[in-house]
Amino acid sequence: RELAEGYFDSARYYDFWSAHQGRLDQVMLDWVASPGFDQLLVRTVQSTFPAHEHEQFIAHFRGLMNVWVWEESARLASAS
């Protein structure tokens, strides 16, 4: 264990994690609500589904993500 702790610098990792984990939910919410995430969603649908299904699935997944953003925003607001 000592070798692993030293090699992976576990103490430094735990310091980093404890300093940033409290913001992780907000960071994820900001990412999913961003134009960059929407572009990723569109590119993923376009590369996964046939062209005639793009509009349908982009709308579907945007709807799911919008519900998640709304619910997560409410959850984080009530936790503050």
Side-chain angles (χ1 to χ4, degrees):
R1 181 177 179 169
E2 286 180 38
L3 288 174
E5 296 273 341
Y7 179 81
F8 291 110
D9 201 0
S10 298
R12 189 169 153 224
Y13 169 78
Y14 291 125
D15 288 343
F16 170 82
W17 181 244
S18 64
H20 297 288
Q21 76 178 13
R23 288 186 6 91
L24 190 57
D25 289 342
Q26 185 63 51
V27 169
M28 186 65 187
L29 174 61
D30 293 345
W31 165 237
V32 173
S34 76
F37 185 87
D38 186 66
Q39 291 171 0
L40 176 63
L41 184 146
V42 169
R43 287 193 315 264
T44 301
V45 168
Q46 290 172 339
S47 68
T48 306
F49 294 94
H52 70 278
E53 295 180 345
H54 289 176
E55 188 176 323
Q56 170 192 350
F57 281 103
I58 289 170
H60 174 71
F61 291 123
R62 278 180 174 158
L64 292 174
M65 293 296 98
N66 287 337
V67 168
W68 182 85
V69 166
W70 184 82
E71 290 177 349
E72 187 67 1
S73 296
R75 184 185 73 80
L76 291 177
S78 70
S80 298

